[in-house]
């Protein structure tokens, strides 16, 4: 049974592996650990029998927040893991008084854009050449809570 919980140092190795599987520009172990240690961050994992099958890294700033990373193992996609992570994030937002959540997504990532729209996010704008490896525009999206 898949459950969400706060990220722990013992999860980092699995998250680094999932980063490499999920992104052309994966974060380093140091970046993930630094995020986890911030007072303004929410770092969650989705776990299935002690295996990390997804994670979310979220930063808050006053009444806004930003999803910096969210990934789900390829063999667990379309099984509600991302929705579970966003649900846990939403509870956190309600507790902290966060009214708006922002994110950016590669313009070519059709599956992610479709997922975010289904979750109530709408496109706000675009940043040209925001990503590298490969060079790509970022679609800016947000949602109010």
């Amino acid at each position: 049974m898949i459950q969400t919980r706060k990220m722990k140092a013992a999860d980092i190795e699995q998250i680094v592996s999932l980063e490499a599987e999920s992104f052309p520009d994966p974060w380093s172990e140091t970046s993930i650990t630094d995020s986890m240690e911030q007072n303004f961050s929410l770092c969650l994992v989705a776990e299935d029998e002690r295996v990390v099958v997804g994670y979310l890294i979220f930063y808050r700033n006053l009444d806004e927040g930003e999803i910096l990373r969210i990934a789900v193992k390829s063999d667990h996609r379309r099984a509600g893991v991302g929705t579970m992570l966003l649900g846990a994030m939403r509870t956190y937002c309600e507790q902290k008084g966060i009214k708006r959540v922002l994110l950016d997504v590669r313009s070519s990532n059709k599956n992610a854009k479709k997922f975010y729209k289904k979750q109530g996010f709408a496109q706000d704008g675009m940043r040209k050449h925001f990503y590298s490896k490969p060079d790509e525009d970022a679609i800016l999206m947000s949602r109010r809570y």
Side-chain angles (χ1 to χ4, degrees), residues 103-120:
L103 61 89
D104 56 74
V105 61
R106 285 181 179 269
S107 59
S108 66
N109 194 339
K110 293 177 182 161
N111 289 335
K113 290 187 295 187
K114 183 178 176 182
F115 170 73
Y116 293 130
K117 284 180 184 176
K118 185 177 177 184
Q119 298 296 322

Side-chain angles (χ1 to χ4, degrees), residues 6 39-42 58 60-65 89-99:
K6 287 191 175 181
N39 290 332
F40 52 82
S41 71
L42 172 68
F58 175 87
R60 66 179 163 84
N61 184 17
L62 301 174
D63 66 345
E64 288 190 337
M89 180 202 73
R90 181 178 185 160
T91 299
Y92 175 84
C93 289
E94 290 168 355
Q95 292 168 348
K96 298 292 184 182
I98 296 167
K99 305 289 186 216

Side-chain angles (χ1 to χ4, degrees), residues 17-24 55 70-73 77:
S17 177
L18 185 48
E19 268 285 308
E21 173 189 323
S22 303
F23 298 105
Y55 67 93
I70 183 171
V72 175
K73 285 181 76 85
R77 291 184 185 143

Side-chain angles (χ1 to χ4, degrees), residues 79-90:
V81 175
T83 300
M84 287 177 70
L85 288 164
L86 288 183
M89 180 202 73
R90 181 178 185 160

Side-chain angles (χ1 to χ4, degrees), residues 16-144:
V16 168
S17 177
L18 185 48
E19 268 285 308
E21 173 189 323
S22 303
F23 298 105
D25 57 346
W27 280 14
S28 67
E29 180 177 335
T30 301
S31 295
I32 296 164
T33 301
D34 287 349
S35 291
M36 191 174 64
E37 294 172 350
Q38 299 302 320
N39 290 332
F40 52 82
S41 71
L42 172 68
C43 299
L44 299 170
V45 297
E47 182 179 61
D48 187 10
E49 297 184 23
R50 297 188 183 168
V51 174
V52 173
V53 296
Y55 67 93
L56 176 140
I57 298 174
F58 175 87
Y59 282 9
R60 66 179 163 84
N61 184 17
L62 301 174
D63 66 345
E64 288 190 337
E66 182 176 4
I67 298 171
L68 295 160
R69 293 304 236 205
I70 183 171
V72 175
K73 285 181 76 85
S74 58
D75 60 349
H76 281 75
R77 291 184 185 143
R78 301 182 195 270
V81 175
T83 300
M84 287 177 70
L85 288 164
L86 288 183
M89 180 202 73
R90 181 178 185 160
T91 299
Y92 175 84
C93 289
E94 290 168 355
Q95 292 168 348
K96 298 292 184 182
I98 296 167
K99 305 289 186 216
R100 184 171 177 232
V101 173
L102 312 161
L103 61 89
D104 56 74
V105 61
R106 285 181 179 269
S107 59
S108 66
N109 194 339
K110 293 177 182 161
N111 289 335
K113 290 187 295 187
K114 183 178 176 182
F115 170 73
Y116 293 130
K117 284 180 184 176
K118 185 177 177 184
Q119 298 296 322
F121 287 84
Q123 183 173 336
D124 300 299
M126 181 184 298
R127 287 191 181 127
K128 293 283 188 185
H129 310 289
F130 182 75
Y131 292 106
S132 58
K133 299 179 184 179
D135 178 69
E136 195 167 351
D137 298 340
I139 303 298
L140 306 176
M141 301 181 85
S142 70
R143 177 191 169 151
R144 294 203 174 274

